[in-house]
Amino acid sequence: MNRIRLTFTLLALWLAACSPVGSLTPTPTAASLATPLPTLAVPPSATPLSPTSRIILRYSSMSFIVEDPPKVLATLEQLVEEAGGFVTSASSYSSSESIAYANLSARVPPEVLPELRRAVLELALQVQNDSMSSQDITNQYRSLLENQADLIQAKETLHRLLSQGGDSSSIESLILLHDLLQQQMESVESQLQSYQESAALSSFDVSLTQMAVLPPRNE
């Protein structure tokens, strides 16, 4: 059982233990307590997947020998922008005393990745590495959506309890539980956003190295 479902189970047990048992003592309201109540705004849920939807992460890594790495790097940056992507990092180094090199990392729409890879291959004098991989994260994504739904339900229950009031120790326990649920909610939302962004734009990494110039042979 993961942490989120465990937290939800603990909340259910806590609610059962705190249910009224017919006491004639008036229950203090939340407004009468010194501890301020947190704002329990429930964030909108992420868009659920349809039964046939899949979330696939794609990664491309390429290494080439080229004549002029900085020049080819500039061409690659232009190709990425024309393909609807963006460069996350780019660097190059050239010197008369050593071999030049360049590196580029970018994010591009998955549908243009094959065409972009073919265009880049045409710029190479020699291919050192050309790899492409994918990862199906549909199950992980759906599990996160289920966890998010559990957290939203738990926070709605907390909201109702806090609005009803109670003794100060109970209110403080609810607030502590709210803080824990909030932390878990933020973690789940961050993971969902990361998955969505990674699925929308594939990783595209390219390394460029200058062709080594051999010294003239002595006759």
Side-chain angles (χ1 to χ4, degrees), residues 37-53:
L37 298 181
T39 302
L40 297 178
V42 178
S45 175
T47 303
L49 296 171
S50 68
T52 58
S53 296

Side-chain angles (χ1 to χ4, degrees), residues 29-39 162-163 165-176 178-179:
T29 63
S32 67
L33 300 174
T35 305
L37 298 181
T39 302
L162 285 168
S163 65
D167 60 84
S168 58
S169 62
S170 296
I171 292 294
E172 290 177 356
S173 297
L174 285 173
I175 292 176
L176 290 175
H178 161 265
D179 292 340

Side-chain angles (χ1 to χ4, degrees), residues 26-196:
T27 301
T29 63
S32 67
L33 300 174
T35 305
L37 298 181
T39 302
L40 297 178
V42 178
S45 175
T47 303
L49 296 171
S50 68
T52 58
S53 296
R54 310 300 300 177
I55 292 189
I56 309 295
L57 307 186
R58 292 179 173 83
Y59 311 89
S60 174
S61 178
M62 311 174 82
S63 299
F64 305 121
I65 299 292
V66 296
E67 183 176 351
D68 188 342
K71 182 178 180 179
V72 174
L73 175 63
T75 301
L76 291 181
E77 291 177 314
Q78 182 178 352
L79 288 174
V80 167
E81 293 179 1
E82 292 175 352
F86 62 90
V87 176
T88 57
S89 66
S91 62
S92 63
Y93 173 82
S94 61
S95 171
S96 59
E97 300 178 355
S98 61
I99 296 176
Y101 61 86
N103 295 283
L104 176 139
S105 292
R107 304 297 301 278
V108 299
E111 61 271 17
V112 305
L113 187 58
E115 182 179 353
L116 181 60
R117 284 166 49 84
R118 286 193 295 269
V120 173
L121 284 170
E122 295 178 358
L123 301 174
L125 297 177
Q126 179 182 335
V127 178
Q128 294 178 307
N129 173 66
D130 182 8
S131 63
M132 185 173 177
S133 60
S134 61
Q135 179 184 6
D136 188 334
I137 60 164
T138 305
N139 291 336
Q140 296 94 313
Y141 185 83
R142 287 175 175 163
S143 178
L144 284 172
L145 288 178
E146 293 174 359
N147 289 337
Q148 185 185 53
D150 287 344
L151 288 169
I152 290 175
Q153 183 178 353
K155 291 183 70 174
E156 289 174 344
T157 302
L158 280 175
H159 190 204
R160 289 195 299 269
L161 288 172
L162 285 168
S163 65
Q164 294 171 3
D167 60 84
S168 58
S169 62
S170 296
I171 292 294
E172 290 177 356
S173 297
L174 285 173
I175 292 176
L176 290 175
L177 183 55
H178 161 265
D179 292 340
L180 175 60
L181 291 176
Q182 182 63 35
Q183 292 175 8
Q184 294 181 351
M185 176 70 79
E186 292 173 356
S187 176
V188 168
E189 290 175 344
S190 177
Q191 290 177 320
L192 284 171
Q193 183 178 0
S194 176
Y195 280 164
Q196 292 163 354

